[in-house]
């Protein structure tokens, strides 16, 4: 990522040629950027952050009543210290929410189909499912616009990714709180996202997010903007031209952090299409390979790998084999 010291800003309202060039450059050179002009109402953003505050203010027993370990679909609440990144403990609490659908996992079927199923909701927040549904609808529109512009900027039809997202996309929403810490603590360890792209809402003033360049770059919240990053699957689809960049949350502040990452992902069984890049772009594409951490073209396999590693207690509770990704 060279000598980049701050993230670029991309305005989704720009005219298409300028927008596509800006998106391509930001995702190739950095893999992260701020997105403005996205059209998501400020009132909805305020409601989401208010719901997050109310969620984490609940008594611990009410949050534990919807603990993820109760769900074979990896949905629900994780208390402080209950998740791992690369084997190290993350210091955050969160709720994981996906599309509300009937379970489809079972014997003789790919293990990753267990990732579809019902959510767990706190009884004290009856408005939370409706707020999350509005958030999902609004952000999926933004994410699909970005994907179409990226495809066009790389010489492919804008709709090349549409089929993979047409039915039952496996989006994931996390609502996360990182507590204030007096000394350096791993809020979430260095990692790359396993899906296609991420739209991150951070509460104004929230510190801690860092992106790896030559050194770690601080990414403060920017009012009215989402932080956008590329996932491994989009890097895979572009032969490495678009970059999935490592990032982390490092807690060393008196201020806590509230954030809501939205992971835009295709159907669990969708195989992401590989793009044929123009020659002038293909010569600049490079995808890093790690035999110990393969990237799968089928989204569900990639997601299952990540879930098993992050939540071994959930896997053990429901008989999910940590050594098998299929």
């Amino acid at each position: 990522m060279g000598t980049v010291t701050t993230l670029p800003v991309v305005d989704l309202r720009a005219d298409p040629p300028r927008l596509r060039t800006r998106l391509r450059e930001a995702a190739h050179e950095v893999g992260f950027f701020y997105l403005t002009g996205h059209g998501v109402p400020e009132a909805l953003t305020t409601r989401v952050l208010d719901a997050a505050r109310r969620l984490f203010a609940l008594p611990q027993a009410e949050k534990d009543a919807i603990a993820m370990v109760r769900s074979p679909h990896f949905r629900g609440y994780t208390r402080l210290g209950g998740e791992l990144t690369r084997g190290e403990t993350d210091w955050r609490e969160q709720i994981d929410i996906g599309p509300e659908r009937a379970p489809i996992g079972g014997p003789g079927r790919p293990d990753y189909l267990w990732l579809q199923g019902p959510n767990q909701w706190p009884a004290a927040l009856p408005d939370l499912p409706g707020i999350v549904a509005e958030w999902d609808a609004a952000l999926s529109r933004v994410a699909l616009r970005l994907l179409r512009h990226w495809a066009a900027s790389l010489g492919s039809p804008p709709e090349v990714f549409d089929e993979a997202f047409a039915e039952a996309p496996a989006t994931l929403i996390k609502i996360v709180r990182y507590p204030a810490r007096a000394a350096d603590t791993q809020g979430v360890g260095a990692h790359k996202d396993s899906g296609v792209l991420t739209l991150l809402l951070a509460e104004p003033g929230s510190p801690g997010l860092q992106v790896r360049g030559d050194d770690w770059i601080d990414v403060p919240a920017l009012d009215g903007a989402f932080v956008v990053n590329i996932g491994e699957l989009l890097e895979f689809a572009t032969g490495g031209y678009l970059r999935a960049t490592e990032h982390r949350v490092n807690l060393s502040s008196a201020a806590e952090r509230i954030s809501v990452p939205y992971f835009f992902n295709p159907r669990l069984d969708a195989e992401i299409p590989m793009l044929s890049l123009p020659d002038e772009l293909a010569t600049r594409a490079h995808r890093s390979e790690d035999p110990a951490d393969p990237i799968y073209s089928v989204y569900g396999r990639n997601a299952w790998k990540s879930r098993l590693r992050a939540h071994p207690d959930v896997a053990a509770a429901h008989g999910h084999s940590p050594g098998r990704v299929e």
Side-chain angles (χ1 to χ4, degrees):
M1 198 159 64
T3 57
V4 174
T5 58
T6 188
L7 298 193
V9 178
V10 177
D11 190 337
L12 197 52
R13 297 165 297 191
D15 64 274
R18 174 177 170 78
L19 172 62
R20 289 169 180 174
T21 298
R22 189 86 170 121
L23 282 172
R24 185 180 66 236
E25 291 174 349
H28 171 68
E29 295 170 4
V30 186
F32 269 79
F33 58 91
Y34 292 110
L35 182 71
T36 61
H38 44 71
V40 176
E42 182 180 354
L44 178 56
T45 297
T46 299
R47 289 170 61 209
V48 169
L49 291 173
D50 172 70
R53 284 285 178 194
R54 289 186 287 125
L55 169 68
F56 296 122
L58 292 175
Q60 189 64 49
E62 293 188 32
K63 293 182 286 189
D64 288 341
I66 57 167
M68 183 186 285
V69 74
R70 301 171 183 266
S71 168
H73 315 294
F74 293 84
R75 306 286 180 84
Y77 172 77
T78 302
R79 62 163 52 211
L80 290 170
E83 186 175 19
L84 303 176
T85 299
R86 296 182 176 175
E88 300 293 327
T89 300
D90 295 329
W91 200 245
R92 60 180 180 173
E93 61 175 330
Q94 63 189 9
I95 185 171
D96 283 56
I97 303 165
E100 195 74 50
R101 301 191 183 111
I104 56 174
R109 310 203 72 190
D111 284 351
Y112 61 73
L113 294 180
W114 280 108
L115 295 175
Q116 178 168 310
N119 293 299
Q120 299 190 84
W121 301 102
L125 299 179
D127 60 337
L128 185 58
I131 293 170
V132 168
E134 286 186 57
W135 192 245
D136 180 38
L139 268 64
S140 68
R141 289 191 291 268
V142 174
L144 190 56
R145 284 178 66 190
L146 286 172
L147 270 187
R148 288 171 175 167
H149 282 303
W150 264 315
S153 78
L154 296 170
S156 292
E159 65 278 4
V160 67
F161 294 114
D162 284 12
E163 193 278 332
F165 290 86
E167 296 180 13
T171 53
L172 177 66
I173 296 171
K174 289 177 178 280
I175 303 175
V176 187
R177 184 184 77 90
Y178 300 90
R181 302 290 286 178
D184 283 1
T185 303
Q186 174 174 301
V188 61
H191 67 284
K192 299 178 182 180
D193 292 347
S194 63
V196 171
L197 70 92
T198 305
L199 295 167
L200 174 70
L201 169 67
E203 191 173 50
S206 293
L209 178 61
Q210 297 178 321
V211 172
R212 189 187 291 279
D214 286 342
D215 200 350
W216 288 103
I217 301 166
D218 289 324
V219 183
L222 181 64
D223 285 358
F226 291 110
V227 176
V228 181
N229 68 280
I230 301 303
E232 291 178 328
L233 210 57
L234 194 52
E235 177 177 303
F236 182 92
T238 62
Y241 187 84
L242 301 187
R243 299 181 45 167
T245 303
E246 275 195 325
H247 52 288
R248 70 183 186 184
V249 172
N250 188 45
L251 304 179
S252 57
S253 169
E256 68 178 9
R257 175 181 178 85
I258 298 288
S259 65
V260 185
Y262 176 85
F263 303 94
F264 188 58
N265 302 312
R267 289 189 323 276
L268 288 170
D269 64 351
E271 186 158 359
I272 202 75
M274 293 291 294
L275 304 189
S276 296
L277 303 185
D279 289 344
E280 66 271 18
L281 301 182
T283 58
R284 299 165 59 197
H286 174 71
R287 187 165 66 86
S288 56
E289 300 278 358
D290 182 356
D293 189 18
I295 300 175
Y296 301 103
S297 61
V298 174
Y299 169 64
R301 298 182 70 194
N302 238 26
W304 188 247
K305 170 190 72 174
S306 296
R307 299 267 89 180
L308 293 178
R309 290 176 177 177
H311 298 280
D313 57 335
V314 179
H318 299 282
H320 299 321
S321 173
R324 185 174 68 182
V325 176
E326 61 176 37

